[in-house]
Amino acid sequence: MLLSLVKFQRFKRIVVDGIRTNYKVTTHPIRKFSKSSTAMDAKYERQPNVLRKKLSNVVPGSVNLQVLGAGANGSPSAVYLFTDQSRYLFNCGEGTQRLAYEHKTRLSRLEQIFMTRNTWTSVGGLPGLALTIQDAGVRQLGVHGPPHLDTMLQSMRRFVMLKNLQMQNIDATTSQHFEDSILSVQSVVLRSEKQPEQSVISYICKLKPRPGALNLVKCVEHGVPPGPLLGQLKNGQDVELPGGKVVRSVDVTEPGETALSFVFIDVPSVDYLSALQAQAKEYKQLADSELTEVALVVHFSPAAMTEHADYRQFMAENFSQCTEHIYLNSPSNSFSGYAATHRIQYQLHQLAPLVFPLLAESLELQHNCPLKKTKLEEEEAKEELTGEESKKREQPKKDDQKQSLNQGVVPMTSFHLRPKKGLDRTLESKLTPEEYIKETHAVPGVTELLAKLKCDTKLSQESELATEGRSNYPRIIFLGTGSCIPNKTRNVSSILIQTAKEAFVLLDCGEGTHGQIVRLYGNERAKEIMLQLQAIYVSHLHADHHIGLIALLTERQQLAPEAPLLLLAPRQIEPWLQFYNRQIESIADSYTLVANGELLENPLRGEGVERLGIDSIGTCLVRHCPHAFGISLTLQAEHEGEPIKITYSGDTMPCEDLVELGRNSTVLIHEATMEDDLVEEARIKTHSTISQAIQQGRDMQAKHTILTHFSQRYAKCPRLPSNEDMQHVAIAFDNMQVTVDDLKEYEKLYPALMAMFAEYTEELEQRAVKRELKQERKRKLAQT
């Protein structure tokens, strides 16, 4: 017996995916997972089914809940739950995938999404997210939620092409229980008192308890040999020894941990309060159970509900004081989390404050106190305290944590469920303007170029005098300048045009457009703009050009229910809008649809557009996908004695019809997806290169050309042709705003702009050289 114990002591203690194991097993394949999930072998990323099989019976040692979006300033409310093995997402509003990209949240192992509602606030980010995770290699995804999620996804198939991703839709009102090796999720259905057919889902989640530590002596007493059987016993599995004896895990392990539970609650309005109160017994039993501890409640409910007296009373009566609460959509949640957007805006602001104004969100945050960070671990010295002293010190810690929650949460606020450390603010997203400005001036030569720029152009002046004598309208505001999917600095396509003092028109509206307006202008001014928004134009039905439409229509309808928007779009968008209106929520009264095709022969004129400060709106078919259009707006405003004409290409290859439509334009806004070396790739994808876009402007004799819709490989600045080719040409950035007068001086910004992004543009040049060498090798191989 003693000899066996000595042998056991020689086995080294290792960690398998965060799960402490007492012995080193030299022959068992579980050894491959001897580090945390962030260091998983690459082949298991490529073969998720292999990984899933390996870990199917392993209880994770690390379980963390992370706020992806806190519902602040146009950001979504979304929570990411990740363990050593699996990932789960709760709600997926517009902008979720962009926040995940920004904060390096890996979506490639996402397996289940749980929706509390089927309305756009909860599911608006699902189309874009599905396309992203499909490209990341995800092949199966479970989507749980209220009825009609499956038909909504089917309706999206027209513009969301999922060739490799299988989405299993689970109606949580009929299938109310989900369970895997990590947790169980119970759906709690809440139905509207006034409209019982409408339902929302809350979720009760219970972690599988982690088995206790393996007891060496008991293992030896039961005759368990060193090897893989030890790992199975450690993970809570009973094993059979070679002689036929069965050893139960509970007989050779210490008592396991208390199972933790956490709850997601969504009560959209007072119509659902009675349904919530009817579930009081279930929540009370959960809180009082000795088998589990309710560690956290996450509230998706809007602020108006979380502050309601009956709602607060329900929480106080059915959850203990030890339960923490995270309130998404709270007024205390002050930051959207899009820090990279602010970084580049502060840098560009040094160039031209008039063209690159600071976002209202950052100005508002400067007046708020920084969020307090919570200390998660006590020093070793505190262990020496007596029990009474420890209790006295522990109480202020809990009070600090609750006070910290009351101050609001932001993206990357985390809650550690296992090990149970509670709230963690150390990785929270935050703004550091001083650092952004310092970075700009640290680049050699930039400070001198900025000083020269202030002498050369009024665009670099911040005073009101800089705007004297300049026409204010039309004002062109770029809300999204990237293609396909959003990245940290470029959202997908959307251009806001202020055609008159109290009139706005929107050209395309990719995912997150409304949020971009809120962050740029602030909540109050954004509401004014939404009231003054008169028309939305959709160039074609690719998702990156119109997924933001539903959010805009619902917001506009809430603010001005009696004033429908003019919607100019391909007729083929109608089935999608009608489905959403019929099955999800009413939007039919929020718009009047005029099909783009109807304007091919008969441009829109008269009273319908005069109130927008526009004389006529014309369209043409362009060379991209079926039912893709370009548009031309002739405004009532004049510049240098001539009517102002703005032409927008949508997505297209070089197109003669667009040249004719935009003949003699004041401003051409043209897509420039690819750099010039990628002309063949641009042709295959039916897009334009930068030089092709510039040539389109010259062919139509446009006075100014603005390039936009850059491939996301050009996150900061595209690879541009020579300076001579860039005369009267501007490149667009998100949150850039220009007038016709501003465009006259834009090219003066290029020396400082190129110096500011010198390191980045050098990387682009190196990529181009490597690409050319690769192509040269292919050509030589083809010749031989």
Side-chain angles (χ1 to χ4, degrees):
M1 174 71 73
L2 181 61
L3 181 61
S4 297
L5 281 172
V6 171
K7 287 181 178 179
F8 272 98
Q9 295 297 341
R10 291 177 181 172
F11 288 102
K12 295 181 180 180
R13 187 166 289 181
I14 62 172
V15 173
V16 181
D17 278 288
I19 301 172
R20 174 171 280 183
T21 307
N22 291 331
Y23 317 104
K24 182 177 181 181
V25 183
T26 57
T27 59
H28 195 254
I30 202 169
R31 184 185 177 197
K32 294 179 181 178
F33 300 95
S34 60
K35 293 181 184 267
S36 68
S37 60
T38 56
M40 285 286 183
D41 191 271
K43 77 173 184 178
Y44 294 111
E45 287 294 325
R46 297 192 299 270
Q47 302 175 23
N49 289 332
V50 176
L51 176 65
R52 190 178 294 112
K53 184 177 179 180
K54 288 283 184 184
L55 300 176
S56 60
N57 295 315
V58 177
V59 178
S62 174
V63 181
N64 297 313
L65 183 148
Q66 186 180 87
V67 175
L68 255 187
N73 298 327
S75 68
S77 297
V79 173
Y80 203 50
L81 179 71
F82 60 96
T83 73
D84 301 320
Q85 296 99 305
S86 300
R87 308 288 189 268
Y88 311 84
L89 182 64
F90 290 83
N91 279 350
C92 184
E94 273 191 56
T96 298
Q97 64 162 332
R98 190 180 183 197
L99 283 169
Y101 181 86
E102 166 117 7
H103 299 295
K104 298 180 174 63
T105 301
R106 298 168 70 184
L107 298 173
S108 60
R109 296 184 28 217
L110 180 62
E111 294 182 358
Q112 307 291 335
I113 301 180
F114 297 88
M115 304 292 191
T116 61
R117 313 182 203 178
N118 57 18
T119 54
W120 203 250
T121 54
S122 296
V123 305
L126 186 56
L129 182 110
L131 291 169
T132 299
I133 65 175
Q134 176 179 247
D135 292 343
V138 177
R139 294 295 172 257
Q140 291 183 329
L141 180 68
V143 182
H144 309 252
H148 304 306
L149 276 178
D150 55 343
T151 49
M152 178 185 291
L153 292 170
Q154 288 296 327
S155 297
M156 292 177 182
R157 295 283 177 171
R158 182 184 299 270
F159 47 86
V160 179
M161 305 298 292
L162 300 179
K163 298 179 181 178
N164 302 316
L165 175 64
Q166 297 294 322
M167 299 183 73
Q168 180 185 7
N169 301 288
I170 300 100
D171 184 345
T173 62
T174 57
S175 179
Q176 298 185 358
H177 190 77
F178 165 82
E179 186 170 358
D180 61 10
S181 62
I182 297 168
L183 80 168
S184 65
V185 181
Q186 178 186 347
S187 304
V188 180
V189 183
L190 305 180
R191 298 192 184 277
S192 170
E193 190 173 22
K194 293 182 178 179
Q195 297 175 294
E197 72 279 4
Q198 294 185 358
S199 59
V200 298
I201 311 295
S202 293
Y203 295 100
I204 297 174
C205 307
K206 298 179 183 178
L207 288 179
K208 298 292 180 66
R210 191 179 176 195
L214 205 61
N215 188 303
L216 281 176
V217 176
K218 290 182 179 179
C219 285
V220 173
E221 290 175 348
H222 284 78
V224 182
L229 296 180
L230 295 171
Q232 296 175 32
L233 288 167
K234 167 62 186 172
N235 292 322
Q237 302 172 51
D238 299 339
V239 301
E240 183 177 349
L241 300 182
K245 179 183 177 181
V246 175
V247 180
R248 298 190 309 162
S249 175
V250 294
D251 293 335
V252 294
T253 56
E254 303 298 333
E257 67 178 8
T258 301
L260 286 183
S261 298
F262 49 101
V263 177
F264 295 89
I265 292 181
D266 191 355
V267 181
S269 67
V270 292
D271 294 342
Y272 293 85
L273 262 179
S274 59
L276 177 68
Q277 291 164 343
Q279 302 287 345
K281 183 178 179 181
E282 189 165 355
Y283 287 108
K284 185 67 174 175
Q285 287 177 345
L286 179 70
D288 292 343
S289 173
E290 295 181 359
L291 300 177
T292 186
E293 174 189 343
V294 184
L296 178 68
V297 177
V298 179
H299 300 263
F300 283 111
S301 306
M305 287 308 305
T306 57
E307 295 169 0
H308 194 283
D310 292 345
Y311 189 96
R312 287 183 171 274
Q313 183 179 357
F314 179 90
M315 298 303 150
E317 291 177 351
N318 294 286
F319 295 100
S320 72
Q321 293 183 350
C322 296
T323 300
E324 302 289 353
H325 295 261
I326 288 180
Y327 294 93
L328 305 176
N329 305 307
S330 168
S332 301
N333 302 347
S334 54
F335 182 38
S336 64
Y338 298 101
T341 297
H342 289 277
R343 178 190 295 271
I344 195 169
Q345 196 70 8
Y346 269 98
Q347 294 171 344
L348 292 170
H349 185 76
Q350 308 302 304
L351 284 173
L354 293 178
V355 176
F356 306 106
L358 296 180
L359 276 62
E361 180 183 48
S362 67
L363 300 176
E364 292 168 358
L365 283 170
Q366 289 177 11
H367 297 94
N368 297 333
C369 296
L371 293 172
K372 184 178 179 180
K373 293 182 180 178
T374 302
K375 196 173 182 180
L376 297 178
E377 297 181 354
E378 298 293 336
E379 299 176 2
E380 293 293 332
K382 290 188 178 181
E383 294 181 1
E384 300 177 2
L385 296 172
T386 64
E388 197 62 36
E389 290 173 328
S390 179
K391 287 180 181 178
K392 289 181 180 178
R393 295 202 178 188
E394 187 68 20
Q395 188 60 42
K397 177 183 174 182
K398 289 183 178 179
D399 291 342
D400 287 347
Q401 195 174 73
K402 289 184 178 180
Q403 179 63 31
S404 189
L405 277 172
N406 290 337
Q407 291 177 355
V409 294
V410 300
M412 296 303 287
T413 298
S414 297
F415 195 94
H416 298 287
L417 292 159
R418 181 184 292 156
K420 188 185 175 186
K421 297 180 180 179
L423 189 72
D424 180 4
R425 293 194 178 276
T426 55
L427 297 178
E428 282 185 337
S429 181
K430 59 182 179 180
L431 293 184
T432 54
E434 299 82 4
E435 177 184 321
Y436 308 152
I437 296 171
K438 186 177 179 181
E439 286 176 1
T440 304
H441 290 274
V443 178
V446 166
T447 301
E448 293 76 13
L449 286 169
L450 290 177
K452 182 177 183 300
L453 199 57
K454 285 189 176 182
C455 300
D456 293 345
T457 172
K458 289 185 178 180
L459 297 181
S460 292
Q461 308 299 321
E462 294 197 55
S463 68
E464 292 297 324
L465 294 175
T467 62
E468 288 186 2
R470 307 173 77 82
S471 58
N472 290 321
Y473 310 109
R475 186 177 299 275
I476 305 171
I477 304 104
F478 289 87
L479 302 174
T481 57
S483 66
C484 191
I485 61 173
N487 70 13
K488 293 193 292 186
T489 53
R490 292 189 186 273
N491 201 46
V492 285
S493 295
S494 184
I495 304 165
L496 185 67
I497 300 181
Q498 187 173 13
T499 53
K501 185 176 181 180
E502 296 183 352
F504 289 85
V505 174
L506 194 61
L507 305 181
D508 279 332
C509 48
E511 180 180 344
T513 293
H514 179 251
Q516 292 284 89
I517 294 173
V518 171
R519 291 185 288 277
L520 176 59
Y521 291 103
N523 283 286
E524 294 306 314
R525 177 58 180 150
K527 289 179 182 177
E528 293 177 4
I529 290 174
M530 289 304 298
L531 283 170
Q532 295 167 4
L533 181 62
Q534 305 294 324
I536 298 177
Y537 166 78
V538 175
S539 63
H540 62 291
L541 295 187
H542 281 166
D544 58 321
H545 289 258
H546 77 90
I547 282 293
L549 178 61
I550 297 289
L552 290 162
L553 292 178
T554 52
E555 177 69 15
R556 183 57 156 66
Q557 185 168 254
Q558 291 173 6
L559 294 173
E562 305 300 325
L565 284 164
L566 175 63
L567 175 60
L568 305 172
R571 175 68 70 185
Q572 290 71 23
I573 201 173
E574 201 163 22
W576 159 241
L577 296 178
Q578 289 176 346
F579 161 79
Y580 192 86
N581 175 75
R582 184 176 63 255
Q583 299 287 5
I584 310 301
E585 57 185 332
S586 175
I587 58 169
D589 295 335
S590 65
Y591 67 92
T592 300
L593 177 63
V594 175
N596 288 346
E598 296 176 7
L599 308 183
L600 290 173
E601 300 296 332
N602 301 297
L604 194 60
R605 293 186 173 91
E607 186 178 349
V609 294
E610 286 178 355
R611 56 192 173 90
L612 309 182
I614 296 174
D615 276 338
S616 66
I617 300 176
T619 64
C620 72
L621 287 167
V622 294
R623 301 171 64 198
H624 184 55
C625 64
H627 317 296
F629 295 84
I631 187 173
S632 182
L633 310 174
T634 302
L635 277 59
Q636 295 169 357
E638 293 186 351
H639 187 262
E640 297 179 349
E642 297 181 1
I644 293 176
K645 183 177 180 180
I646 299 175
T647 300
Y648 171 52
S649 67
D651 284 5
T652 183
M653 301 169 67
C655 177
E656 285 300 321
D657 287 348
L658 182 70
V659 170
E660 290 305 315
L661 178 72
R663 183 74 64 189
N664 298 318
S665 289
T666 313
V667 180
L668 167 66
I669 304 170
H670 202 288
E671 73 116 292
T673 309
M674 305 289 183
E675 61 187 271
D676 291 346
D677 290 355
L678 300 176
V679 62
E680 182 60 20
E681 183 176 342
R683 185 191 65 79
I684 293 171
K685 295 183 178 181
T686 61
H687 285 296
S688 295
T689 66
I690 288 175
S691 289
Q692 286 173 342
I694 293 172
Q695 189 60 47
Q696 287 279 97
R698 290 174 180 161
D699 290 346
M700 70 174 63
Q701 298 178 317
K703 291 183 178 179
H704 304 281
T705 299
I706 306 177
L707 306 180
T708 187
H709 195 271
F710 300 110
S711 166
Q712 298 295 13
R713 70 189 78 188
Y714 314 116
K716 291 184 179 179
C717 182
R719 188 165 171 251
L720 300 175
S722 65
N723 292 338
E724 292 76 15
D725 292 331
M726 296 303 291
Q727 292 181 3
H728 308 295
V729 177
I731 57 174
F733 293 86
D734 281 22
N735 304 303
M736 173 178 118
Q737 58 180 24
V738 290
T739 64
V740 176
D741 285 324
D742 296 334
L743 291 172
K744 292 180 179 179
E745 299 191 87
Y746 190 99
E747 60 192 80
K748 295 179 182 179
L749 303 179
Y750 281 122
L753 182 66
M754 292 297 102
M756 186 181 295
F757 295 132
E759 184 176 347
Y760 180 79
T761 53
E762 178 60 27
E763 289 179 9
L764 293 180
E765 292 298 329
Q766 291 176 5
R767 282 187 222 165
V769 170
K770 290 179 181 178
R771 190 169 56 242
E772 179 57 33
L773 290 173
K774 187 176 180 180
Q775 292 297 325
E776 183 64 27
R777 286 195 296 269
K778 285 184 177 180
R779 285 193 290 268
K780 288 181 179 179
L781 286 172
Q783 291 173 0
T784 57

